[in-house]
């Protein structure tokens, strides 16, 4: 009768919807309810546990509610070991049974349990949970009770397995649907047969090939293997050796279009020991295009499309042969300021186009804009010096051709330097050497072309040392002004002084401007030096005027200082501060420098004239200015270059030139000074032609301030004695 009753209990569980659908918690609740009704016990419950995670969960319980659950696996390890091994632990007196010792204090005592029956819920020998029956009074467990509880535990194990199977199927279905809807290609290849056994729909979307055409086919049918066999076979070999293969490649579709893919191939082994590879790939065309655009922005000039300096430097570091050509557009800043940045940009674009054309003809791939007005190109295969010379002249000619912008034509003024890369010292980069050579090219008359050589390098090293020493020269007050007197050839009196800078170098002694002015101009230090010269000269002129010494002060300014925007403000402040008398401060600038920007120079000269400051054109006759410009400048004086004066006694041409200059100055009512007068014969020639003033060693070299004062005093006394005698 009892067996039949228990059989009905078991059938109720087996035939329940909950059990058949794998609803474990609900089946556990049903089982505990039926066992609680059929067996005389106080508590029936089901716990699910995980030894690895040290967790325990009570999923069903029948009996008086007591907030006590079984201890976690780490606190009952011996008990769980016995339960897993023997499956059933039937205890008559829990306080005396060593098998449940770990449960006694923490669990049985609080619940006042005397007897217990625990049956393991196992799947494939793995302990998943426990079905327990507990009594608060001592009792023995009959064979029939042990049997039915064990069978119920088996049904719970089957239910749990069913639930997990359903969950696995659900996850697999979910996974397959997710893979099918993924934009990433997923492909499974049998590595024993090289057959494609699975591929998702993304393959068709990306490649344009229906997946049915490759399913069941060898992996070699893929476009990757057809178009890049070496790369593809290398990847497959790596995977068969147990390594992961990754890469990027560009695939061409059958219609001619192309796309980039990023792929990853990983080997894996199934539970049955089959060897497969999972291939994942994604369309990286947009990312590649974005990366290329970023690289273009990072490595290319946005205006000209040429490589920029950063890219060029990196590429040039890897070059060991070839010729580097550096092009500098002289006067480009003033072109920008005069005609506007739009025309300046169009000029740069045209120069870039010409260089690109030159590079394409000579198969030069490395061409860049390396500065605001500098370009560079590397040409290979120029071992023949005659061919090199021809290409240089050809390129220079192309660059100097007029550039048409709108309806106007402008002359480009390139300076070109050439460096043979494999002949350089290791410590100097090719671009540095090209920069050195281009500075020499810019100072040349005629074609501004300069090949780099060791002589230039040695000069550069010397200049670099002077540059470093110049930086402390101003701070250490190593500069001093000397003054060379200007003599009036008519009155025989000294009417002016030219301020000339000298550098009292702590190791080299007294240095003349020729030793450091060019370096100061190249390094940008000429501005600070020029400001010091101008202020020192004005301060000295103020002292002379305070002592009633009525002479003018001539001060040379460099082109950078003259064409800077700060010269007018500085002169205005100095004239005001030192109360300089009108027309006693004369600013000198060379003829060639003055002609660099006629419009700017004309406006500045007029503004300086309004301050009472004169302008003298230094070294007149050596430049190539048009005479018509002299009429529009408010010029105070022309200074005839010393080269013409020194040749007066031996050169008929020099005498003719000097005569013409004096006649022109007289016609334009411009004061005239002859530089470098050293002999009486030269003075007599100039006096006869009515040249106004002269300076040179015939009268005095440049003197320090104290010596100059003594010189003026002595000559004034001499002049007064001569006048009194006469």
């Amino acid at each position: 009768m009892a067996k039949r009753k228990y059989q009905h209990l078991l059938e109720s569980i087996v035939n329940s919807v909950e059990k058949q659908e794998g609803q474990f918690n609900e089946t556990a609740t049903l089982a505990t309810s039926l066992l609680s009704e059929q067996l005389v016990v106080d508590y029936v419950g089901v716990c699910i546990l995980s030894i690895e995670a040290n967790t325990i969960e009570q999923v069903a319980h029948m009996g008086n509610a007591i907030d006590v659950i079984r201890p976690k696996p780490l606190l009952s390890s011996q008990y769980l070991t016995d339960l897993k091994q023997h499956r059933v632990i039937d205890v008559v007196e829990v306080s005396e049974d060593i098998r449940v010792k770990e449960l006694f204090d923490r669990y049985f005592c609080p619940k006042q349990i005397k007897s217990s029956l625990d049956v393991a819920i196992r799947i494939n020998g793995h302990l998943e949970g426990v079905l327990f029956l507990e009594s608060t009074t001592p009792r023995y467990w009959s064979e029939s009770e042990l049997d039915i509880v064990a069978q119920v535990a088996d049904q719970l194990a089957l239910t749990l397995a069913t639930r997990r199977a359903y969950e696995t199927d659900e996850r697999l279905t979910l996974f397959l649907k997710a893979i099918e809807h993924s934009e990433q290609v997923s492909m499974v290849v049998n590595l024993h047969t090289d057959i494609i056994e699975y591929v998702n729909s993304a393959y068709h979307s990306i490649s344009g090939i229906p997946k049915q055409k490759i399913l069941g086919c060898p992996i070699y049918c893929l476009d990757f293997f057809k178009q890049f066999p070496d790369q593809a076979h290398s990847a497959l070999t790596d995977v068969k050796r147990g390594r992961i293969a990754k890469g990027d490649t560009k695939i061409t579709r059958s219609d001619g279009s192309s796309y980039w893919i990023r792929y990853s191939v990983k080997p894996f082994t199934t539970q049955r020991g089959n060897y497969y590879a999972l291939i994942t790939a994604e369309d990286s065309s947009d990312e590649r295009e974005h990366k290329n655009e970023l690289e273009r922005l990072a490595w290319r000039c946005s205006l000209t499309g040429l490589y920029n300096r950063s890219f060029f430097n990196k590429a040039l570091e890897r070059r060991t042969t070839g010729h580097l050509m550096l092009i500098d557009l002289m006067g480009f800043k003033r072109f920008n300021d005069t005609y506007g940045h739009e025309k300046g940009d169009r000029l740069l674009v045209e120069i870039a186009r010409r260089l690109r054309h030159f590079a394409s003809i000579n198969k030069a791939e490395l061409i860049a804009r390396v500065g605001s007005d500098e370009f560079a190109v590397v040409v290979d295969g120029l071992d023949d010096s005659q061919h090199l010379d021809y290409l240089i002249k050809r390129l220079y000619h192309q660059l100097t051709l007029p550039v048409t912008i709108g309806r106007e034509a402008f002359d480009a003024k390139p300076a070109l330097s050439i460096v043979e890369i494999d002949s350089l010292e290791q410590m100097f980069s090719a671009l540095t050497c090209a920069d050195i050579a281009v500075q020499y090219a810019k100072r040349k008359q005629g074609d501004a072309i300069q090949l780099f050589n060791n002589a230039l390098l040695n000069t550069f090293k010397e200049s670099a040392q002077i540059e470093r020493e110049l930086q402390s020269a101003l701070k250490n007050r190593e500069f001093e002004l000397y003054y060379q007197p200007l003599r009036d050839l008519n009155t025989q009196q000294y009417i002016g002084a030219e301020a000339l800078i000298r550098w009292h170098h702590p190791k080299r002694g007294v240095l003349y401007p020729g030793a450091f002015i060019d370096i100061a101009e190249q390094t940008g230090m000429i501005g600070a030096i020029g400001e010091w010269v101008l202020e020192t000269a004005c301060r000295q002129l103020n002292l002379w005027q305070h002592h009633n010494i009525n002479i003018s002060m001539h001060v040379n300014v460099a082109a950078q200082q003259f064409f800077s925007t700060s010269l007018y403000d500085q002169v205005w402040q100095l004239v005001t501060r030192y109360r300089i008398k009108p027309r006693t401060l004369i600013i000198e600038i060379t003829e060639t420098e003055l002609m660099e920007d006629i419009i700017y120079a004309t406006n500045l000269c007029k503004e300086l004239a309004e301050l009472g400051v004169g302008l003298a054109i230094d070294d007149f006759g050596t430049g190539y200015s048009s005479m018509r410009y002299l009429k529009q400048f408010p010029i105070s004086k022309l200074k005839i270059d010393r080269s013409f004066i020194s040749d007066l006694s031996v050169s008929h041409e020099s005498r003719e030139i000097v005569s013409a200059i004096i006649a022109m100055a007289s016609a334009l009512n411009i004061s005239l000074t002859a530089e470098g007068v050293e002999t009486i014969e030269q003075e007599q020639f100039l006096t006869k032609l009515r040249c106004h003033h002269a300076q040179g060693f015939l009268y005095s070299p440049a003197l320090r301030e104290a010596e100059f004062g003594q010189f003026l005093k002595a000559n004034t006394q001499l002049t007064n004695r001569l006048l009194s005698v006469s």
Side-chain angles (χ1 to χ4, degrees):
M1 183 71 180
K3 186 175 181 180
R4 193 178 306 140
K5 179 175 63 174
Y6 292 156
Q7 186 65 32
H8 175 72
L9 181 154
L10 187 63
E11 289 176 356
S12 298
I13 296 173
V14 171
N15 296 325
S16 68
V17 175
E18 293 85 347
K19 193 268 180 185
Q20 293 173 6
E21 293 183 354
Q23 298 177 15
F24 179 77
N25 290 8
E26 291 77 2
T27 304
T29 300
L30 174 63
T32 55
S33 176
L34 292 173
L35 287 172
S36 179
E37 292 174 0
Q38 298 297 323
L39 302 180
V40 182
V41 291
D42 295 294
Y43 302 107
V44 181
V46 176
C47 290
I48 293 296
L49 57 87
S50 170
I51 297 175
E52 294 80 5
N54 190 35
T55 60
I56 187 165
E57 178 187 4
Q58 187 169 280
V59 297
H61 187 267
M62 287 293 167
N64 297 328
I66 298 178
D67 189 18
V68 179
I69 62 172
R70 297 202 166 203
K72 291 183 178 181
L74 287 180
L75 298 175
S76 55
S77 57
Q78 186 58 50
Y79 159 76
L80 293 177
T81 300
D82 290 343
L83 183 65
K84 177 181 178 181
Q85 182 177 357
H86 301 290
R87 191 190 179 199
V88 176
I89 297 179
D90 53 329
V91 180
V92 176
E93 179 54 60
V94 296
S95 62
E96 298 176 357
D97 198 317
I98 192 172
R99 294 177 297 173
V100 293
K101 181 180 179 181
E102 294 170 323
L103 276 61
F104 183 75
D105 292 334
R106 296 176 181 272
Y107 180 71
F108 288 142
C109 276
K111 293 181 70 173
Q112 299 180 354
I113 303 301
K114 300 299 183 180
S115 299
S116 68
L117 173 62
D118 293 358
V119 180
I121 300 173
R122 298 184 303 184
I123 299 177
N124 297 326
H126 189 270
L127 182 61
E128 302 289 345
V130 57
L131 169 62
F132 60 84
L133 285 74
E134 298 166 344
S135 174
T136 57
T137 57
R139 60 165 294 176
Y140 289 92
W141 305 98
S142 66
E143 288 295 329
S144 59
E145 289 175 331
L146 292 174
D147 182 63
I148 189 59
V149 173
Q151 290 190 57
V152 171
D154 287 340
Q155 294 302 315
L156 290 175
L158 288 172
T159 307
L160 184 59
T162 302
R163 185 182 78 174
R164 290 181 177 175
Y166 284 160
E167 289 175 349
T168 300
D169 289 342
E170 179 67 16
R171 283 196 296 269
L172 181 60
T173 302
L174 180 64
F175 173 76
L176 289 174
K177 285 187 176 295
I179 290 296
E180 281 299 317
H181 287 84
S182 173
E183 295 181 354
Q184 184 184 66
V185 173
S186 293
M187 183 181 296
V188 177
V189 177
N190 188 319
L191 291 178
H192 290 295
T193 62
D194 293 340
I195 298 298
I196 300 170
E197 295 191 2
Y198 172 80
V199 64
N200 66 347
S201 301
Y203 180 81
H204 180 211
S205 301
I206 294 175
S207 69
I209 300 173
K211 64 180 184 179
Q212 290 77 12
K213 283 193 173 183
I214 64 168
L215 271 175
C217 297
I219 192 173
Y220 312 109
C221 72
L222 298 176
D223 286 340
F224 182 30
F225 276 85
K226 294 177 181 178
Q227 297 177 24
F228 303 96
D230 293 340
Q231 183 181 353
H233 281 93
S234 176
L236 184 59
T237 300
D238 285 344
V239 171
K240 287 187 175 182
R241 291 175 178 172
R243 295 194 292 263
I244 297 174
K246 294 182 178 182
D248 290 88
T249 192
K250 187 178 183 180
I251 304 295
T252 302
R253 300 184 181 94
S254 59
D255 62 1
S257 62
S258 59
Y259 61 97
W260 280 89
I261 61 164
R262 179 183 295 112
Y263 64 84
S264 174
V265 189
K266 298 180 180 180
F268 68 93
T269 305
T270 65
Q271 291 182 344
R272 295 185 177 182
N274 294 319
Y275 200 31
Y276 285 87
L278 172 64
I279 301 175
T280 57
E282 59 182 345
D283 188 342
S284 59
S285 302
D286 291 342
E287 180 182 336
R288 193 82 180 195
E289 184 178 344
H290 180 63
K291 180 181 178 182
N292 290 339
E293 178 64 15
L294 290 178
E295 288 182 353
R296 189 190 70 80
L297 293 174
W299 300 122
R300 295 223 178 236
C301 164
S302 59
L303 176 65
T304 64
L306 303 179
Y307 288 122
N308 59 21
R309 189 182 186 95
S310 297
F311 179 89
F312 188 80
N313 280 336
K314 291 180 180 294
L316 192 60
E317 287 176 358
R318 299 191 292 269
R319 298 299 296 262
T320 57
T321 60
H323 285 79
L324 167 64
M325 300 181 182
L326 181 66
I327 299 95
D328 186 298
L329 297 181
M330 296 184 290
F332 178 73
K333 182 180 183 302
R334 284 193 292 278
F335 181 93
N336 251 351
D337 294 340
T338 303
Y339 300 105
H341 289 276
E342 182 179 353
K343 288 186 177 179
D345 287 349
R346 293 179 67 179
L347 174 63
L348 292 173
V349 170
E350 173 58 21
I351 294 298
R353 187 197 65 78
R354 295 179 185 183
L355 281 173
R356 195 180 288 109
H357 177 69
F358 170 83
S360 65
I361 293 176
N362 294 282
K363 299 179 180 179
E365 298 180 356
L366 191 52
I367 172 174
R369 181 187 177 195
V370 295
S372 62
D373 55 0
E374 287 186 326
F375 298 85
V377 59
V378 177
V379 182
D380 292 311
L382 298 179
D383 297 331
D384 185 355
S385 59
Q386 291 184 344
H387 186 208
L388 173 62
D389 185 61
Y390 168 77
L391 280 185
I392 292 170
K393 291 180 178 178
R394 177 76 176 171
L395 174 59
Y396 188 78
H397 172 72
Q398 291 173 349
L399 295 175
T400 53
L401 292 174
V403 177
T404 302
I405 301 176
R407 296 182 178 181
E408 297 180 88
F410 299 93
D411 291 328
K413 298 178 181 179
L416 174 62
S417 65
I418 305 92
V419 175
E420 187 177 357
I421 296 174
D422 58 358
S423 66
L424 299 177
E425 293 185 15
Q426 190 171 4
M427 62 181 294
F428 290 95
S429 71
L431 198 55
T432 297
C433 294
D435 281 329
I436 295 170
V438 86
Q439 297 305 319
Y440 283 89
K442 290 162 73 172
R443 295 196 294 270
K444 279 189 171 183
Q445 299 291 333
D447 291 349
I449 302 174
Q450 178 66 56
L451 275 78
F452 181 80
N453 53 47
N454 287 331
L456 291 184
L457 182 59
N458 292 333
T459 303
F460 169 76
K461 292 177 181 178
E462 178 72 15
S463 299
Q465 179 63 30
I466 292 177
E467 178 187 345
R468 289 190 291 270
E469 294 167 348
L470 268 176
Q471 294 174 356
S472 61
L474 269 175
K475 181 176 62 177
N476 297 335
R477 299 182 179 181
E478 296 173 5
F479 293 120
E480 182 182 4
L481 288 188
Y482 282 47
Y483 304 95
Q484 185 172 38
L486 277 69
R487 185 179 178 88
D488 189 309
L489 294 178
N490 182 37
T491 65
Q492 298 297 303
Q493 293 182 339
Y494 291 98
I495 48 81
E498 180 177 358
L500 300 170
I501 190 171
R502 299 290 185 264
W503 181 6
H504 292 283
H505 194 283
K507 295 181 180 179
R508 305 169 189 253
V510 178
L511 297 182
Y512 288 76
F516 60 88
I517 287 298
D518 285 348
I519 299 171
E521 289 179 343
Q522 294 168 19
T523 59
M525 295 184 63
I526 192 64
I529 294 174
E531 289 180 8
W532 178 86
V533 168
L534 192 55
E535 179 165 5
T536 304
C538 287
R539 187 187 308 115
Q540 184 59 52
L541 181 58
N542 172 262
L543 290 174
W544 285 340
Q545 291 177 353
H546 183 71
H547 291 89
N548 296 319
I549 301 175
N550 295 318
I551 61 174
S552 60
M553 178 70 78
H554 290 241
V555 182
N556 291 281
V557 297
Q560 290 182 30
Q561 186 181 7
F562 185 84
F563 288 107
S564 71
T565 57
S566 61
L567 180 63
Y568 175 83
D569 290 337
Q570 185 191 8
V571 171
W572 181 85
Q573 291 175 6
L574 293 174
V575 169
T576 304
R577 183 191 311 162
Y578 293 111
R579 299 179 182 178
I580 304 298
K581 294 179 181 179
R583 293 178 295 281
T584 58
L585 176 61
I586 310 296
I587 288 179
E588 295 187 8
I589 185 170
T590 65
E591 177 186 6
T592 303
E593 291 172 336
L594 191 65
M595 295 300 127
E596 288 185 8
D597 192 332
I598 298 297
I599 297 175
Y600 183 89
T602 301
N603 293 333
L604 179 58
C605 290
K606 289 178 179 178
E607 291 175 345
L608 292 174
E610 292 174 357
L611 292 178
V613 177
L615 176 71
I617 298 182
D618 198 14
D619 300 338
F620 188 78
T622 58
Y624 44 87
S625 63
S626 173
M627 293 298 179
R628 67 187 178 90
Y629 288 123
L630 295 177
K631 294 188 295 183
Q632 69 187 60
F633 285 121
I635 298 169
S636 304
K637 180 177 291 189
L638 297 178
K639 301 187 74 175
I640 306 174
D641 187 68
R642 65 182 63 249
S643 62
F644 299 113
I645 304 302
S646 63
D647 290 344
L648 283 178
S649 59
V650 295
S651 172
H652 174 73
E653 289 80 5
S654 291
R655 290 195 295 272
E656 290 296 325
I657 291 173
V658 172
S659 299
I661 293 174
I662 294 173
M664 180 201 65
S666 177
L668 295 175
N669 196 28
I670 298 175
S671 177
L672 196 63
T673 297
E675 296 183 291
V677 177
E678 297 181 357
T679 67
I680 296 294
E681 290 77 15
Q682 293 168 354
E683 182 188 57
Q684 290 173 346
F685 179 84
L686 295 168
T687 303
K688 183 179 179 180
L689 293 177
R690 297 183 180 180
C691 180
H692 304 108
H693 309 137
Q695 68 181 96
F697 283 0
L698 177 62
Y699 313 111
S700 172
L703 303 170
R704 303 178 84 165
E705 184 273 323
E707 296 169 345
F708 185 82
Q710 294 173 2
F711 174 84
L712 285 182
K713 183 177 180 181
N715 280 276
T716 301
Q717 292 173 351
L718 177 61
T719 302
N720 290 338
R721 285 199 302 270
L722 291 174
L723 289 173
S724 64
V725 171
S726 62

